[in-house]
């Protein structure tokens, strides 16, 4: 026959049971806090990711030509205007253009405002859309088609491999691709290896990360001329 517990033994058993229940509840609360914290951190990360917080951002005006023909332009402008007004204006201009020329012809990918400056990253469907919207000449295509498109590419070029000067026309680069741009104050990045570019004191070659050509703003204020970039 099982021995009957004394009152003190019952009290100790109940006390141990309460302590076990409390420990279990504490563990459950800790697990809940950990899970909730992880979910909150994940949500914050996804929101930041969606807003481009971890994207590499150019520190200069950068025009990037993608392999699929789309154009990404990162622009940094100093302004005293209200950033909200600037963003509203940019969006309205893009929406008006897309309404006439097709949905997603232009997309505003990112807009940030800092002290006295704004940063925009804009995606254009192709070079013709970029030219039409901005008013700056931009041609991207085969070198042998540049002349028929109105870009004869006659002039003096610097060959990147070896740094030699070479008098040439588009015919000398028939097997390559070419960018023709009439704009200054920006850097151009192409989806390939640059072989030659226009000889000009305001045009410089950069190879720190990818092949890029920087077209400096002219100090005398004269309009930008055509710059040609040949690449493979």
């Amino acid at each position: 026959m099982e021995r009957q517990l004394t009152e003190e033994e019952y009290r100790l058993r109940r006390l141990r049971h309460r302590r076990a229940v409390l420990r279990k509840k504490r563990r459950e609360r800790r697990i809940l806090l950990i899970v909730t914290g992880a979910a909150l951190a994940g949500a914050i990360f996804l929101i930041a990711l969606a807003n481009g917080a971890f994207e590499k951002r150019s520190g200069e005006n950068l025009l990037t030509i993608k392999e699929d023909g789309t154009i990404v332009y990162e622009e940094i402008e100093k302004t005293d205007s209200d950033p909200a007004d600037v963003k509203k204006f940019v969006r309205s201009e893009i929406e008006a253009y897309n309404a006439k020329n097709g949905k997603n012809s232009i997309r505003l990918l990112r807009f940030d405002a800092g002290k006295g400056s704004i940063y925009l990253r804009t995606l254009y469907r192709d070079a013709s859309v970029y030219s039409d919207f901005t008013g700056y000449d931009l041609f991207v295509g085969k070198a042998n088609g540049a002349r028929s498109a109105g870009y004869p590419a006659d002039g003096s070029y610097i060959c990147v491999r070896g740094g030699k000067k070479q008098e040439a026309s588009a015919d000398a680069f028939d097997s390559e691709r070419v960018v023709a741009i009439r704009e200054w104050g920006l850097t151009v990045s192409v989806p390939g290896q640059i072989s030659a570019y226009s000889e000009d004191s305001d045009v410089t070659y950069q190879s720190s990360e990818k092949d890029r050509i920087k077209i400096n703003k002219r100090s005398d204020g004269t309009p930008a001329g055509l710059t040609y970039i040949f690449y493979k």
Side-chain angles (χ1 to χ4, degrees), residues 139-165:
F139 170 84
V140 179
K142 282 289 188 178
N144 56 13
R147 178 174 281 106
S148 60
Y151 301 94
D154 294 321
S156 181
Y157 299 95
I158 296 178
C159 295
V160 171
R161 313 309 163 194
K164 297 178 181 179
K165 296 179 181 179

Side-chain angles (χ1 to χ4, degrees), residues 127-147:
S128 63
V129 170
Y130 178 86
S131 295
D132 190 35
F133 184 75
T134 65
Y136 293 107
D137 284 338
L138 178 64
F139 170 84
V140 179
K142 282 289 188 178
N144 56 13
R147 178 174 281 106

Side-chain angles (χ1 to χ4, degrees), residues 99-112:
K100 293 181 179 180
N101 298 278
K103 185 179 179 181
N104 291 330
S105 292
I106 306 173
R107 291 169 54 199
L108 180 62
L109 301 180
R110 185 171 174 180
F111 182 100
D112 290 334

Side-chain angles (χ1 to χ4, degrees), residues 26-63:
R26 290 192 190 104
R27 286 197 301 270
E28 290 174 346
R29 281 198 294 268
R30 284 197 296 269
I31 293 171
L32 180 61
L33 286 172
I34 291 170
V35 172
T36 303
L40 181 60
I44 292 172
F45 174 82
L46 290 175
I47 292 171
L49 185 64
N51 286 297
F54 305 107
E55 293 176 338
K56 187 175 181 180
R57 191 175 114 169
S58 174
E60 61 181 347
N61 292 346
L62 176 65
L63 187 145

Side-chain angles (χ1 to χ4, degrees), residues 1-78:
M1 182 176 179
E2 185 177 351
R3 184 178 68 84
Q4 188 174 3
L5 298 176
T6 65
E7 184 177 341
E8 178 64 18
E9 288 173 329
Y10 270 123
R11 188 184 68 80
L12 291 173
R13 177 177 287 185
R14 288 195 299 271
L15 181 60
R16 286 195 295 269
H17 177 70
R18 284 198 298 271
R19 287 174 177 171
V21 170
L22 286 173
R23 285 195 297 269
K24 182 180 179 181
K25 287 183 177 180
R26 290 192 190 104
R27 286 197 301 270
E28 290 174 346
R29 281 198 294 268
R30 284 197 296 269
I31 293 171
L32 180 61
L33 286 172
I34 291 170
V35 172
T36 303
L40 181 60
I44 292 172
F45 174 82
L46 290 175
I47 292 171
L49 185 64
N51 286 297
F54 305 107
E55 293 176 338
K56 187 175 181 180
R57 191 175 114 169
S58 174
E60 61 181 347
N61 292 346
L62 176 65
L63 187 145
T64 302
I65 298 162
K66 298 291 189 178
E67 190 65 50
D68 62 1
T70 57
I71 309 296
V72 175
Y73 188 41
E74 297 177 73
E75 182 178 9
I76 302 171
E77 289 291 337
K78 293 182 179 179

